[in-house]
Amino acid sequence: MTGWIKSPADIYAQSFATIRAEAALGRVPADLTDLAIRVVHACGMTDIVAHLAWSEGGGQAGRAALVAGKPILVDAEMVAHGIIRRNLPAANSVICTLGEVSAVEARDAATTRSALAVDKWLPHLDGAVVAIGNAPTAVFRLLELVAAGAPRPALVLGFAVGFVGAVESKDALIASGLPHVALTGRRGGSAMAAAAVNALARGLE
Amino acid sequence: MTGWIKSPADIYAQSFATIRAEAALGRVPADLTDLAIRVVHACGMTDIVAHLAWSEGGGQAGRAALVAGKPILVDAEMVAHGIIRRNLPAANSVICTLGEVSAVEARDAATTRSALAVDKWLPHLDGAVVAIGNAPTAVFRLLELVAAGAPRPALVLGFAVGFVGAVESKDALIASGLPHVALTGRRGGSAMAAAAVNALARGLE
C-alpha cells in the first residue's frame, strides 16, 4: 500500500482543484462558490452544481447570520457532527432538537419525530441558519410554521434526501420566498448540509 | 402546506417500494439485498446498486459479527451518529477513535488524523465490523495494518468519498482479500456507511 497521499493540505488542494476543473461553477454567484465546492467535495459528485437552487444574496445572508452569532438549527445529529465547530465565527450554537422528541410523542401527534422537532426550534428561529440534511418532513413543517407567522430564519439550507417528499419539500422551499440554498431532486444528505454550513463559516479553509 | 405524508411507517414503506421498483437489485445476493436498499435509501440514488462490490458471504459475516457482539469501528463521528443503536443485536460498541488524535499528532506523523486514528483500532479489530464513510486514508491505513499482520475484521464496509484516493482506496480494499462491501467510484459517505450497518443489524425494520 505505497504511494497514497497522506498530507491533509495536499488532499484538500487536489480535491478542490479537481472540483474547479470539472464542476460547472460559472452559474454560481460569488457568495456561493465556496459553498458549491464544499458540497461537491462532501458527496463526490460534480454534476450536482447544475441542480443547486438559491435565492439572491442567500450566501451573504447566511454568512452575516453566523458572524452575528445566530444559532444553527439542524434536523439530524449527523448534520451537527459534520459542522466544524472551531471554524464557526462566533462560537455559534448548533441546535438539534430531534433527541427531545420521542417516537411515542410523534405517534400521538400523527407526524414524524423530525417534523415535531422543528416545533422546538421556535425560540431560536429568528434570523437563524437552518440546515436540513435528512428529513423532508422537517422542511414541510418549517414552511408551515413560517406561513403561520413564525419568525423567519436568515437562510434555509435544503438538503433533504430520499424518495418520499424530498423533491416536493425542496421545491416548496424554493417557492416559499424564504432565503435558501437547496439541492433539487432526490439527492441530499447530512454531509452536504454540514458542508454548506462549513463553507458559510469559513469558505474553503 | 397540505398533503405531505406524515406517517413514518408510510414514508418507509413507500420509499422501499420505490427503491425495489427502480433499483437493479437482481444482481445483489440475498444476504445483501436489505443493505443495498438501505444504502440507496440513504442517498436517494437508485443507480448506485450497479456500482456496489462485495465478497461472497460478506453480508452473512457482518451480521454474524454483530450477533456475536463484536464492535463496530467507524472513521467519523457522522457514521457513529447514523447508526441506530437500539437496533444493534448485542448492544455492540460503536467506536470512533478520531477524537483521540490531534492535528498536531497527525502532522508529526506525516499523515492524516483519519489514518492515525485507524492505528488505535488495533485492540478492537479482530472480527469487528469496520464502517468507513469518509476518509480514503482510513481505508489505506487499515489495509497496510492488515497486510503487516494486524487482526482481520469480519467485514469492511467501504464508503469512502471524494476526489483524492476514494476510488483507489476502495479498489485496493476489493483487491485485498478482506471481506467487504464497497461502493466503487468517488461516491460514498457517512450516511451510506451507517445505513449499511443498520441493514446488517436489523434489515429493513
Side-chain angles (χ1 to χ4, degrees):
Chain A
M1 205 51 50
T2 57
W4 49 285
I5 302 175
K6 299 181 183 181
S7 155
D10 289 351
I11 292 170
Y12 270 101
Q14 285 199 27
S15 295
F16 292 151
T18 299
I19 294 166
R20 286 183 186 281
E22 291 187 21
L25 294 165
R27 68 181 290 268
V28 179
D31 67 333
L32 292 176
T33 303
D34 287 353
L35 183 151
I37 292 172
R38 270 207 180 267
V39 171
V40 169
H41 181 247
C43 68
M45 298 181 283
T46 55
D47 75 289
I48 63 156
V49 175
H51 305 276
L52 282 176
W54 55 81
S55 55
E56 192 180 336
Q60 290 175 324
R63 169 73 190 164
L66 294 182
V67 170
K70 294 293 184 177
I72 302 160
L73 306 176
V74 303
D75 70 322
E77 287 291 341
M78 289 186 77
V79 181
H81 284 83
I83 294 171
I84 306 170
R85 304 300 173 101
R86 68 179 181 279
N87 283 0
L88 296 175
N92 307 252
S93 300
V94 178
I95 298 171
C96 181
T97 55
L98 191 62
E100 300 174 21
V101 179
S102 72
V104 171
E105 285 175 282
R107 192 189 61 202
D108 291 348
T111 191
T112 66
R113 288 178 61 225
S114 293
L116 207 49
V118 169
D119 288 53
K120 298 184 184 292
W121 290 356
L122 281 171
H124 315 289
L125 200 53
D126 189 27
V129 172
V130 170
I132 296 177
N134 181 34
T137 58
V139 180
F140 282 128
R141 184 57 182 156
L142 174 65
L143 296 179
E144 279 186 345
L145 289 173
V146 170
R152 293 168 68 87
L155 180 65
V156 180
L157 300 164
F159 292 90
V161 61
F163 297 89
V164 175
V167 171
E168 297 82 358
S169 69
K170 291 180 288 188
D171 287 349
L173 168 62
I174 292 165
S176 71
L178 278 179
H180 66 270
V181 180
L183 180 63
T184 59
R186 289 172 169 176
R187 292 184 291 182
S190 301
M192 295 190 215
V197 172
N198 292 335
L200 294 174
R202 210 171 166 180
L204 299 182
E205 286 179 58
Chain B
M1 203 52 49
T2 56
W4 50 286
I5 301 174
K6 299 181 183 182
S7 156
D10 290 350
I11 292 169
Y12 271 100
Q14 285 199 27
S15 296
F16 293 151
T18 300
I19 294 166
R20 286 183 186 281
E22 292 188 21
L25 294 165
R27 69 181 290 268
V28 179
D31 67 334
L32 292 175
T33 303
D34 288 353
L35 183 150
I37 292 172
R38 271 207 180 267
V39 170
V40 168
H41 181 247
C43 67
M45 297 180 284
T46 56
D47 75 289
I48 63 156
V49 175
H51 305 277
L52 283 176
W54 55 81
S55 55
E56 192 180 335
Q60 289 174 325
R63 169 72 190 165
L66 293 183
V67 170
K70 294 292 184 178
I72 301 160
L73 306 175
V74 302
D75 70 322
E77 287 291 340
M78 289 185 77
V79 181
H81 284 84
I83 294 171
I84 306 170
R85 304 301 172 100
R86 68 178 180 279
N87 283 0
L88 296 175
N92 307 253
S93 300
V94 178
I95 298 171
C96 180
T97 55
L98 191 62
E100 300 173 22
V101 179
S102 73
V104 171
E105 285 176 280
R107 192 189 61 203
D108 290 349
T111 190
T112 65
R113 288 179 61 226
S114 293
L116 208 48
V118 170
D119 288 53
K120 298 184 184 294
W121 290 355
L122 280 171
H124 315 289
L125 200 53
D126 188 27
V129 172
V130 170
I132 296 177
N134 181 34
T137 58
V139 180
F140 282 128
R141 184 56 182 157
L142 174 65
L143 296 179
E144 279 186 347
L145 290 173
V146 170
R152 293 169 68 88
L155 180 66
V156 181
L157 300 165
F159 293 89
V161 61
F163 297 89
V164 175
V167 171
E168 296 81 358
S169 69
K170 292 180 288 188
D171 287 349
L173 168 63
I174 292 164
S176 72
L178 278 179
H180 65 270
V181 180
L183 180 64
T184 60
R186 290 171 169 177
R187 292 185 291 182
S190 300
M192 294 190 215
V197 172
N198 292 334
L200 294 175
R202 209 170 167 181
L204 299 182
E205 287 179 59

